Every structure is written in C-alpha cells, then in structure tokens.
Amino acid sequence: MNDGKRTPWIVGVSGASGTPYAAAVLRGLLGAGESVDLVVSRASRLTLLDETGISFRDAHWREDLAAWLARGADGKPDTFDVSGALDDVRYWAAGDLAAGPSSGSYPAKGMLVVPASTAAVAGVALGLSKDLLQRVASVTLKERRPLVVAVRETPLNGQTLKHMVALDEAGAVVLPASPAFYAGATHIQDLVDFVAGRVLDAAGVPHELYRRWEGELGGAPRSD
C-alpha cells in the first residue's frame, strides 16, 4: 500500500496477444491501493490496437489507458469504472532508457511482465536490455526484487523453454497465461481474471478476482 513513500509495482506490457490480461492485472493492483509504473512496448501497441481498437499514444497515455482499463475482455467499452483509479499511475515510454525504473536506485516493489512474448522472455533471459521493458526486468533481477513473467505463447520451442528455465534460475516466477476452469468460469472475463489473479498471487497482492480452491468438489457456481 502507499504509505507516503511511493514504491510502485512496475507493469511491463509486451507484444504478445493478451492485452486483457494486462488490463485485469492493472485494475487489480489499483484496486488494492498499489502504485503502478507502466511500460508499454512498441510491439504491444500494435497488439492493443488489433485486440481493442485503442491506439496507445505517449502524449495521451492517461486517456488511452482509461479506455483500455474500462473495456471488458469481451470487447464491451465502459465495462469497468476506472474513474479516479489512475491517480497513482506513472507512465514511462518504452524507448526512454534513462527513465527512473532503469536504475536500481529507483524504489520499486518488483515487476510484472504481462503478457510476456517469447521475444521479451529471450531478451530478459539474455540480459539484452534492448528497450525499457527489458532493462527494468534486468534491474529487477539484479536487485533481487520479485519478477513475474506471464508467458503467452503456444506451442513453446526448445530455445524458449531454455530461456524460461534461465529466468527461473535467476529468481523470476515464470507464469504461463493458462486459465483454469474449476473456479466456475461462465464468461471470458472470468478466465482472464483467473490468470490476472495468479499473477497477483505471485506478487503477494491481495485480490478477489477468482474463487479459490477449498478442497470441495462441485463448489463452482453454475449457469443453467
């Protein structure tokens, strides 16, 4: 929580399909009262445009982010009320390698890369730092802060699997964007929220995005 000294979670959005996952994670963080620093890669802007019709612009990032977060996973606009929720969001351009989070001295709780493309996975595993997203992920690892990488790709080739193992060995949590169905999903948003909830679980951020397993069969809600 924000205790007067701003210590944000950094959310990196790469070019993989799955921008609703990122939106759900961002809503979850903001709903928990967390500060957020946002990095949107150049490739992810193309994906966002394709999946939502939203053009994410540096000069109008707050307006575009509000439209993105208000949109449901089914494409309906104004599904979520995000008015006032962006007050503690700070945006950094992907090409700004001198941005605050590029340094280990910048205070941060950790980083969530969601969705993570195989290119982002490779770049972070190899320490390439070719853009701000990869640089911040590398900084997060070297500072021993939590790094959650929500990989969104299938099938996975051997090289990507090796990169994922390298991330795990470096201390990251590799979290494939794999929805589960035991929570009784009846809507696409339920599946998206499950993955987002697992990302927040890995970061230790409280939420109520999905029904947790309690050891009882048949506990999921049903729609007849």
Side-chain angles (χ1 to χ4, degrees):
M1 299 293 179
N2 192 343
D3 57 2
K5 180 180 179 182
R6 189 177 186 279
T7 309
W9 282 99
I10 302 168
V11 176
V13 185
S14 82
S17 176
T19 54
Y21 292 132
V25 166
L26 287 165
R27 287 192 299 265
L29 288 170
L30 296 172
E34 299 286 350
S35 302
V36 173
D37 277 22
L38 177 63
V39 180
V40 179
S41 76
R42 291 188 176 93
S44 69
R45 297 173 191 231
L46 298 176
T47 307
L48 182 64
L49 180 62
D50 186 51
E51 293 184 345
T52 70
I54 295 171
S55 297
F56 197 90
R57 303 160 294 174
D58 287 344
H60 302 279
W61 70 267
R62 188 175 295 273
E63 173 187 342
D64 297 337
L65 179 61
W68 180 15
L69 298 192
R71 190 181 187 89
D74 59 0
K76 293 181 180 178
D78 302 320
T79 298
F80 298 97
D81 182 7
V82 297
S83 56
L86 307 186
D87 291 343
D88 204 8
V89 177
R90 185 175 294 173
Y91 169 72
W92 302 95
D96 185 4
L97 293 180
S102 68
S103 171
S105 66
Y106 185 84
K109 291 184 178 179
M111 184 179 190
L112 315 175
V113 183
V114 53
S117 65
T118 55
V121 168
V124 177
L126 297 174
L128 298 182
S129 296
K130 74 179 186 68
D131 62 8
L132 183 61
L133 188 154
Q134 292 183 15
R135 170 61 185 168
V136 176
S138 296
V139 167
T140 302
L141 288 176
K142 81 179 183 68
E143 296 295 326
R144 302 296 191 266
R145 296 169 183 159
L147 173 64
V148 182
V149 181
V151 183
R152 217 309 303 164
E153 185 59 87
T154 189
L156 297 168
N157 63 32
Q159 199 61 47
T160 297
L161 292 169
K162 290 176 183 177
H163 291 152
M164 291 165 64
V165 170
L167 289 178
D168 177 78
E169 292 176 342
V173 175
V174 178
L175 194 153
S178 301
F181 295 84
Y182 62 78
T186 59
H187 191 278
I188 187 175
Q189 190 67 54
D190 298 326
L191 299 176
V192 168
D193 285 347
F194 179 87
V195 172
R198 295 300 289 155
V199 171
L200 296 177
D201 285 346
V205 176
H207 66 87
E208 296 181 356
L209 287 176
Y210 67 88
R211 183 187 73 91
R212 297 185 182 278
W213 176 251
E214 296 179 349
E216 297 182 7
L217 295 174
R222 301 175 183 275
S223 58
D224 299 323

PDB file of all heavy atoms in Angstrom, residues 11 20 59 73 85 96 102 130 132 141 149 155-156 173 195 211 219 221:
ATOM      1  N   VAL A  11       4.651  -2.493 -14.178  1.00  0.00           N
ATOM      2  CA  VAL A  11       3.973  -3.418 -15.082  1.00  0.00           C
ATOM      3  C   VAL A  11       4.497  -3.185 -16.491  1.00  0.00           C
ATOM      4  O   VAL A  11       4.422  -2.070 -17.019  1.00  0.00           O
ATOM      5  CB  VAL A  11       2.448  -3.228 -15.051  1.00  0.00           C
ATOM      6  CG1 VAL A  11       1.774  -4.145 -16.070  1.00  0.00           C
ATOM      7  CG2 VAL A  11       1.901  -3.505 -13.652  1.00  0.00           C
ATOM      8  N   PRO A  20      -5.996  -8.060 -22.573  1.00  0.00           N
ATOM      9  CA  PRO A  20      -6.945  -8.086 -21.453  1.00  0.00           C
ATOM     10  C   PRO A  20      -6.319  -8.581 -20.156  1.00  0.00           C
ATOM     11  O   PRO A  20      -6.752  -8.176 -19.068  1.00  0.00           O
ATOM     12  CB  PRO A  20      -8.049  -9.035 -21.936  1.00  0.00           C
ATOM     13  CG  PRO A  20      -8.014  -8.914 -23.430  1.00  0.00           C
ATOM     14  CD  PRO A  20      -6.552  -8.791 -23.744  1.00  0.00           C
ATOM     15  N   ALA A  59       1.575  10.892 -25.748  1.00  0.00           N
ATOM     16  CA  ALA A  59       1.085  12.206 -25.349  1.00  0.00           C
ATOM     17  C   ALA A  59      -0.316  12.149 -24.736  1.00  0.00           C
ATOM     18  O   ALA A  59      -0.740  13.103 -24.077  1.00  0.00           O
ATOM     19  CB  ALA A  59       1.079  13.154 -26.552  1.00  0.00           C
ATOM     20  N   ALA A  73     -13.132  -7.903 -21.272  1.00  0.00           N
ATOM     21  CA  ALA A  73     -12.423  -8.868 -22.119  1.00  0.00           C
ATOM     22  C   ALA A  73     -13.238  -9.260 -23.336  1.00  0.00           C
ATOM     23  O   ALA A  73     -12.691  -9.742 -24.329  1.00  0.00           O
ATOM     24  CB  ALA A  73     -12.061 -10.107 -21.302  1.00  0.00           C
ATOM     25  N   ALA A  85      -9.062   6.063 -10.749  1.00  0.00           N
ATOM     26  CA  ALA A  85      -8.159   4.960 -10.423  1.00  0.00           C
ATOM     27  C   ALA A  85      -6.741   5.197 -10.927  1.00  0.00           C
ATOM     28  O   ALA A  85      -5.805   4.515 -10.492  1.00  0.00           O
ATOM     29  CB  ALA A  85      -8.690   3.654 -11.009  1.00  0.00           C
ATOM     30  N   ASP A  96      12.626   5.162 -23.522  1.00  0.00           N
ATOM     31  CA  ASP A  96      13.307   6.037 -22.568  1.00  0.00           C
ATOM     32  C   ASP A  96      14.194   5.214 -21.637  1.00  0.00           C
ATOM     33  O   ASP A  96      13.796   4.846 -20.534  1.00  0.00           O
ATOM     34  CB  ASP A  96      12.269   6.822 -21.766  1.00  0.00           C
ATOM     35  CG  ASP A  96      12.912   7.840 -20.831  1.00  0.00           C
ATOM     36  OD1 ASP A  96      14.153   7.988 -20.872  1.00  0.00           O
ATOM     37  OD2 ASP A  96      12.169   8.481 -20.048  1.00  0.00           O
ATOM     38  N   SER A 102      14.853   2.466 -14.829  1.00  0.00           N
ATOM     39  CA  SER A 102      16.027   1.852 -15.463  1.00  0.00           C
ATOM     40  C   SER A 102      17.187   1.731 -14.498  1.00  0.00           C
ATOM     41  O   SER A 102      18.187   1.064 -14.801  1.00  0.00           O
ATOM     42  CB  SER A 102      16.459   2.675 -16.683  1.00  0.00           C
ATOM     43  OG  SER A 102      16.970   3.942 -16.288  1.00  0.00           O
ATOM     44  N   LYS A 130      17.176  -4.254 -24.628  1.00  0.00           N
ATOM     45  CA  LYS A 130      17.048  -3.519 -25.887  1.00  0.00           C
ATOM     46  C   LYS A 130      15.983  -2.424 -25.822  1.00  0.00           C
ATOM     47  O   LYS A 130      15.944  -1.559 -26.682  1.00  0.00           O
ATOM     48  CB  LYS A 130      16.758  -4.461 -27.041  1.00  0.00           C
ATOM     49  CG  LYS A 130      15.346  -5.011 -27.091  1.00  0.00           C
ATOM     50  CD  LYS A 130      15.153  -5.909 -28.288  1.00  0.00           C
ATOM     51  CE  LYS A 130      13.716  -6.369 -28.441  1.00  0.00           C
ATOM     52  NZ  LYS A 130      12.803  -5.277 -28.792  1.00  0.00           N
ATOM     53  N   LEU A 132      13.119  -0.325 -22.649  1.00  0.00           N
ATOM     54  CA  LEU A 132      12.957  -0.081 -21.224  1.00  0.00           C
ATOM     55  C   LEU A 132      12.349  -1.280 -20.507  1.00  0.00           C
ATOM     56  O   LEU A 132      12.736  -1.587 -19.369  1.00  0.00           O
ATOM     57  CB  LEU A 132      12.090   1.164 -20.999  1.00  0.00           C
ATOM     58  CG  LEU A 132      11.905   1.577 -19.540  1.00  0.00           C
ATOM     59  CD1 LEU A 132      13.236   1.910 -18.885  1.00  0.00           C
ATOM     60  CD2 LEU A 132      10.942   2.759 -19.429  1.00  0.00           C
ATOM     61  N   LEU A 141      15.788  -8.176 -11.513  1.00  0.00           N
ATOM     62  CA  LEU A 141      16.511  -9.390 -11.150  1.00  0.00           C
ATOM     63  C   LEU A 141      17.786  -9.080 -10.365  1.00  0.00           C
ATOM     64  O   LEU A 141      18.067  -9.710  -9.342  1.00  0.00           O
ATOM     65  CB  LEU A 141      16.857 -10.192 -12.408  1.00  0.00           C
ATOM     66  CG  LEU A 141      15.688 -10.897 -13.102  1.00  0.00           C
ATOM     67  CD1 LEU A 141      16.175 -11.563 -14.393  1.00  0.00           C
ATOM     68  CD2 LEU A 141      15.059 -11.943 -12.181  1.00  0.00           C
ATOM     69  N   VAL A 149       6.773 -13.231 -14.802  1.00  0.00           N
ATOM     70  CA  VAL A 149       6.743 -13.201 -16.262  1.00  0.00           C
ATOM     71  C   VAL A 149       5.604 -14.092 -16.737  1.00  0.00           C
ATOM     72  O   VAL A 149       5.679 -15.315 -16.663  1.00  0.00           O
ATOM     73  CB  VAL A 149       8.092 -13.680 -16.838  1.00  0.00           C
ATOM     74  CG1 VAL A 149       8.070 -13.614 -18.358  1.00  0.00           C
ATOM     75  CG2 VAL A 149       9.242 -12.850 -16.285  1.00  0.00           C
ATOM     76  N   PRO A 155       2.643 -23.357 -29.428  1.00  0.00           N
ATOM     77  CA  PRO A 155       3.487 -24.170 -28.571  1.00  0.00           C
ATOM     78  C   PRO A 155       4.799 -23.459 -28.265  1.00  0.00           C
ATOM     79  O   PRO A 155       5.115 -22.422 -28.862  1.00  0.00           O
ATOM     80  CB  PRO A 155       3.708 -25.431 -29.406  1.00  0.00           C
ATOM     81  CG  PRO A 155       3.618 -24.948 -30.826  1.00  0.00           C
ATOM     82  CD  PRO A 155       2.579 -23.868 -30.819  1.00  0.00           C
ATOM     83  N   LEU A 156       5.581 -24.028 -27.359  1.00  0.00           N
ATOM     84  CA  LEU A 156       6.870 -23.452 -26.975  1.00  0.00           C
ATOM     85  C   LEU A 156       7.993 -24.283 -27.564  1.00  0.00           C
ATOM     86  O   LEU A 156       8.002 -25.512 -27.435  1.00  0.00           O
ATOM     87  CB  LEU A 156       6.995 -23.421 -25.446  1.00  0.00           C
ATOM     88  CG  LEU A 156       5.971 -22.541 -24.723  1.00  0.00           C
ATOM     89  CD1 LEU A 156       6.002 -22.824 -23.234  1.00  0.00           C
ATOM     90  CD2 LEU A 156       6.251 -21.072 -24.994  1.00  0.00           C
ATOM     91  N   VAL A 173       9.534 -15.607 -11.373  1.00  0.00           N
ATOM     92  CA  VAL A 173       8.414 -16.542 -11.417  1.00  0.00           C
ATOM     93  C   VAL A 173       7.920 -16.594 -12.851  1.00  0.00           C
ATOM     94  O   VAL A 173       7.488 -15.571 -13.400  1.00  0.00           O
ATOM     95  CB  VAL A 173       7.269 -16.096 -10.487  1.00  0.00           C
ATOM     96  CG1 VAL A 173       6.063 -17.020 -10.648  1.00  0.00           C
ATOM     97  CG2 VAL A 173       7.727 -16.077  -9.032  1.00  0.00           C
ATOM     98  N   VAL A 195      -6.175 -15.714 -14.622  1.00  0.00           N
ATOM     99  CA  VAL A 195      -4.748 -15.543 -14.912  1.00  0.00           C
ATOM    100  C   VAL A 195      -4.206 -14.302 -14.201  1.00  0.00           C
ATOM    101  O   VAL A 195      -3.139 -14.337 -13.581  1.00  0.00           O
ATOM    102  CB  VAL A 195      -4.507 -15.450 -16.430  1.00  0.00           C
ATOM    103  CG1 VAL A 195      -3.057 -15.069 -16.734  1.00  0.00           C
ATOM    104  CG2 VAL A 195      -4.856 -16.773 -17.110  1.00  0.00           C
ATOM    105  N   ARG A 211     -12.494 -17.487  -7.621  1.00  0.00           N
ATOM    106  CA  ARG A 211     -12.836 -18.351  -6.496  1.00  0.00           C
ATOM    107  C   ARG A 211     -11.690 -19.319  -6.248  1.00  0.00           C
ATOM    108  O   ARG A 211     -11.279 -20.050  -7.137  1.00  0.00           O
ATOM    109  CB  ARG A 211     -14.120 -19.141  -6.790  1.00  0.00           C
ATOM    110  CG  ARG A 211     -14.590 -20.012  -5.618  1.00  0.00           C
ATOM    111  CD  ARG A 211     -15.765 -20.887  -6.041  1.00  0.00           C
ATOM    112  NE  ARG A 211     -15.353 -21.977  -6.907  1.00  0.00           N
ATOM    113  CZ  ARG A 211     -14.993 -23.194  -6.464  1.00  0.00           C
ATOM    114  NH1 ARG A 211     -14.991 -23.468  -5.181  1.00  0.00           N
ATOM    115  NH2 ARG A 211     -14.632 -24.127  -7.324  1.00  0.00           N
ATOM    116  N   GLY A 219     -18.156 -26.997  -6.036  1.00  0.00           N
ATOM    117  CA  GLY A 219     -18.373 -25.710  -5.386  1.00  0.00           C
ATOM    118  C   GLY A 219     -18.469 -24.542  -6.343  1.00  0.00           C
ATOM    119  O   GLY A 219     -18.800 -23.434  -5.925  1.00  0.00           O
ATOM    120  N   PRO A 221     -19.881 -22.008  -9.099  1.00  0.00           N
ATOM    121  CA  PRO A 221     -21.231 -21.579  -9.493  1.00  0.00           C
ATOM    122  C   PRO A 221     -21.586 -22.124 -10.867  1.00  0.00           C
ATOM    123  O   PRO A 221     -20.727 -22.301 -11.720  1.00  0.00           O
ATOM    124  CB  PRO A 221     -21.119 -20.056  -9.509  1.00  0.00           C
ATOM    125  CG  PRO A 221     -19.671 -19.779  -9.711  1.00  0.00           C
ATOM    126  CD  PRO A 221     -18.952 -20.879  -9.019  1.00  0.00           C
TER     127      PRO A 221
END
